[in-house]
Amino acid sequence: MKLSVLLLVATFVVSGFSFSKESKSSSIFASEIEGELAYVPFDYEVSMNPQQNIPFVGKSYLGFCEDLGFSESSGNYNAVNRLGYMGKYQFGRSALNWVGIYNKRQFLNSPLLQEKAFEALISKNKWVLKDHITKFNGQVIDGIRITESGLIAAAHLGGAGNVMKFLESNGEDVFADANNVPITRYMKKFAHYDLTSILPDNNARATL
């Protein structure tokens, strides 16, 4: 009888502790940021709901920003997806740190800082990929015309390292993100934009 009571008490204590620990860990990210937890659309959903309120800016740098931002979050600066990627351009923690941002709350609540972060990230990716851009620009790999803007967009999706692997493998090594979107889709979708106003700079930082 005493043994049964002890087992029941032990089970209750263990279960209660586990529940408390799980609840605490699941709320850690939400407690660190402010903003609207927003649904970020999948690529196929974006294609079903084309942009209607974005001004026509063509293939300019601003056009690149607006079009990629719409693809990432429907242009929502407050967006946070299920994996914790934040803002209009869906930055992860490592990308934020790479451009010198360590305060996620400040980032999420400042559209200007998000734009500066995106510009800095383009500048850094241009620096990392500069030799590959020079070598492969204009070539056709696996049916895809390689352009600077396409490579920069692909690097935003999957990282510059995976872009290099694709180019160096002649299209055999194709990275896909957590939503199973391959970097080749961004290479096609964001080709032929003019990013000449953003210079390669490995020391680029986002500051207000």
Side-chain angles (χ1 to χ4, degrees):
M1 176 68 175
K2 289 183 179 181
L3 181 59
S4 299
V5 172
L6 287 173
L7 286 174
L8 179 61
V9 171
T11 301
F12 175 78
V13 170
V14 171
S15 299
F17 177 77
S18 298
F19 176 77
S20 175
K21 183 176 181 181
E22 181 179 348
S23 297
K24 182 179 179 181
S25 64
S26 65
S27 63
I28 283 177
F29 184 80
S31 68
E32 291 180 348
I33 62 174
E34 293 178 354
E36 166 192 353
L37 291 179
Y39 174 72
V40 178
F42 289 99
D43 190 73
Y44 74 88
E45 294 172 306
V46 172
S47 66
M48 294 171 63
N49 181 30
Q51 307 176 48
Q52 295 179 352
N53 299 318
I54 294 178
F56 178 74
V57 284
K59 293 289 187 175
S60 66
Y61 169 67
L62 181 57
F64 182 77
C65 294
E66 292 301 325
D67 291 346
L68 193 143
F70 188 85
S71 182
E72 291 289 291
S73 70
S74 292
N76 185 354
Y77 287 106
N78 294 317
V80 179
N81 78 358
R82 70 189 187 284
L83 300 176
Y85 287 85
M86 299 181 293
K88 176 180 176 180
Y89 302 104
Q90 293 293 279
F91 271 72
R93 186 188 302 270
S94 61
L96 284 176
N97 293 349
W98 197 32
V99 298
I101 297 176
Y102 300 92
N103 187 326
K104 295 191 295 294
R105 180 182 290 109
Q106 181 188 27
F107 172 80
L108 190 61
N109 290 286
S110 174
L112 178 59
L113 185 58
Q114 291 188 34
E115 294 297 341
K116 287 182 175 292
F118 186 55
E119 181 178 328
L121 185 62
I122 292 174
S123 192
K124 292 176 80 71
N125 276 327
K126 270 197 171 189
W127 189 89
V128 173
L129 292 170
K130 61 184 185 299
D131 293 337
H132 288 73
I133 291 171
T134 299
K135 180 178 180 180
F136 293 97
N137 189 44
Q139 293 189 28
V140 176
I141 298 178
D142 195 25
I144 300 169
R145 177 74 62 180
I146 304 302
T147 67
E148 179 185 66
S149 61
L151 295 182
I152 295 301
H156 184 80
L157 178 71
N162 285 314
V163 171
M164 292 179 183
K165 290 177 182 178
F166 171 83
L167 297 172
E168 292 169 359
S169 69
N170 197 34
E172 293 294 324
D173 192 334
V174 181
F175 172 84
D177 73 355
N179 290 326
N180 203 32
V181 177
I183 57 174
T184 49
R185 185 175 300 175
Y186 271 38
M187 288 181 195
K188 294 177 184 177
K189 186 174 184 177
F190 297 103
H192 304 294
Y193 286 79
D194 182 3
L195 305 185
T196 55
S197 62
I198 310 300
L199 300 178
D201 182 2
N202 193 41
N203 297 312
R205 294 291 184 275
T207 57
L208 291 175

